């Protein structure tokens, strides 16, 4: 089992030789522009992918399936629609399947609860993309638990620390949890992705899991950067449980 962070929430996850691409935001720096409900004036994404355009094409040829948690532009952008093979298996919540088909994709695998992909079991999970008015505007978001043999990896998607995340951890006891950090915050309301305090809470609750923090330094609403989080993890002695990948960095995920 291997993980590679491309940028933001875009991950390559390899399990038993199957390469999954999760939440592809594939456009160049500034390609989708301003986020709504922000006043920073920054064009998003605010960093490029860690590959040249030619390298990206090569990387995409190695992907066996694409998984999409939701359709916000930092998880699925116009370049994903343009660059991905229209026949590639595409796994998504059934709520967004028709929209993805409308982009021309012919091999959409809807998931309402569970499906199998080769040797991998995939469970759909839920979360909260913020609270109050901003949470309502963010809409429904989902995550996935991928199961291979006795090993589960939980991709939480864009969610804060909430009862849905707790229930997922209690149910699946994942060895690895990939979370959206950064404390993404708009011009009103509370953060819509996990804050440093949320990370501390999830690490305490899932104290036998390894936590992988993504969603950092790539889109303008995110307020907590890698430097801040590294100091935070050090302060609370969490460096051996919580990990921050650089864009393009790969890591093995220890399994039984």
């Amino acid at each position: 089992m291997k993980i590679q962070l491309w940028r933001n929430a875009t991950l390559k996850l390899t399990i038993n030789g199957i390469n999954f691409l999760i939440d592809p935001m594939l456009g160049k720096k500034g390609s989708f522009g301003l986020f709504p409900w922000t006043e920073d004036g920054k064009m998003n994404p605010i960093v490029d992918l860690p590959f040249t355009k030619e390298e990206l094409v090569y990387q995409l040829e190695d992907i066996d399936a694409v998984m999409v948690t939701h359709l916000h532009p930092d998880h699925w952008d116009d370049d994903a629609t343009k660059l991905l093979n229209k026949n590639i298996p595409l796994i998504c919540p059934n709520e967004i399947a028709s929209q993805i088909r409308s982009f021309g994709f012919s091999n959409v695998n809807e998931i309402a609860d569970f499906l199998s992909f080769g040797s991998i079991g995939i469970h759909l999970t839920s979360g909260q993309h913020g609270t109050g008015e901003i949470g309502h505007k963010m809409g429904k978001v989902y995550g996935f638990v991928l199961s291979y043999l006795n090993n589960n990896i939980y991709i939480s998607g864009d969610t804060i620390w909430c009862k849905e995340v707790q229930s997922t951890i209690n149910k699946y006891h994942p060895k690895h949890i990939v979370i959206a950090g950064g404390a993404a915050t708009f011009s009103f309301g509370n953060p819509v992705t996990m804050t440093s305090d949320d990370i501390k809470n999830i690490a305490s609750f899932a104290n036998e899991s390894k936590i992988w923090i993504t969603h950092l330094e790539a889109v303008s609403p995110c307020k907590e950067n890698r430097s801040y989080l590294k100091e935070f993890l050090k302060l609370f002695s969490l460096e051996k449980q919580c990990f921050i990948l650089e864009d393009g960095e790969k890591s093995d995920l220890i399994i039984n």
Side-chain angles (χ1 to χ4, degrees):
M1 187 181 289
K2 298 179 184 292
I3 190 172
Q4 182 185 31
L5 175 63
W6 285 16
R7 175 183 59 185
N8 198 53
T10 306
L11 299 166
K12 180 182 177 182
L13 184 64
T14 303
I15 306 176
N16 195 31
I18 299 174
N19 293 319
F20 295 96
L21 181 64
I22 299 171
D23 283 350
M25 177 177 65
L26 303 180
K28 65 181 182 181
K29 180 179 178 180
S31 58
F32 73 78
L34 301 173
F35 256 106
W37 314 309
T38 59
E39 299 171 357
D40 53 46
K42 293 180 180 178
M43 303 296 282
N44 290 273
I46 56 177
V47 296
D48 274 316
L49 283 165
F51 319 115
T52 66
K53 188 174 182 179
E54 292 74 22
E55 288 169 338
L56 174 60
V57 171
Y58 176 78
Q59 291 276 353
L60 292 176
E61 290 174 354
D62 197 37
I63 300 301
D64 298 303
V66 177
M67 304 180 71
V68 183
T69 61
H70 65 300
L71 291 175
H72 289 169
D74 59 325
H75 293 253
W76 177 277
D77 62 0
D78 287 344
D79 283 78
T81 300
K82 294 172 184 175
L83 293 174
L84 292 172
N85 187 317
K86 293 300 189 293
N87 296 315
I88 196 167
L90 205 152
I91 300 163
C92 67
N94 54 7
E95 185 175 313
I96 62 174
S98 61
Q99 190 169 352
I100 288 179
R101 288 192 182 95
S102 75
F103 301 146
F105 291 89
S106 60
N107 192 0
V108 178
N109 296 256
E110 301 183 35
I111 177 171
D113 181 44
F114 173 83
L115 63 78
S116 295
F117 188 87
S119 57
I120 314 301
I122 303 172
H123 308 262
L124 190 68
T125 67
S126 59
Q128 293 183 35
H129 203 357
T131 57
E133 182 183 359
I134 189 63
H136 177 74
K137 288 181 178 294
M138 290 290 103
K140 287 186 179 180
V141 289
Y142 298 91
F144 302 105
V145 171
L146 294 93
S147 301
Y148 173 62
L149 301 178
N150 294 318
N151 299 279
N152 293 329
I153 179 169
Y154 174 26
I155 310 294
S156 74
D158 275 12
T159 180
I160 59 174
W161 174 240
C162 59
K163 62 181 181 181
E164 290 87 349
V165 174
Q166 294 178 40
S167 295
T168 298
I169 294 169
N170 278 333
K171 182 175 182 179
Y172 296 104
H173 305 286
K175 289 185 169 60
H176 297 275
I177 304 173
V178 180
I179 64 170
T185 308
F186 292 87
S187 57
F188 60 94
N190 293 322
V192 301
T193 61
M194 290 200 191
T195 65
S196 50
D197 284 335
D198 286 339
I199 293 168
K200 181 159 65 74
N201 287 333
I202 195 172
S204 175
F205 188 82
N207 57 14
E208 296 185 358
S209 303
K210 301 297 185 185
I211 313 296
W212 301 83
I213 307 167
T214 67
H215 219 287
L216 302 175
E217 300 180 359
V219 293
S220 63
C222 289
K223 307 304 180 187
E224 295 180 353
N225 61 20
R226 286 181 173 92
S227 177
Y228 173 84
L229 285 173
K230 286 175 182 177
E231 290 300 316
F232 182 88
L233 297 178
K234 183 178 179 180
L235 178 64
F236 290 97
S237 301
L238 295 172
E239 310 102 307
K240 293 184 179 180
Q241 184 186 5
C242 300
F243 305 95
I244 300 171
L245 295 172
E246 299 295 327
D247 292 352
E249 185 177 356
K250 302 176 184 178
S251 182
D252 291 325
L253 302 181
I254 303 302
I255 60 174
N256 292 337

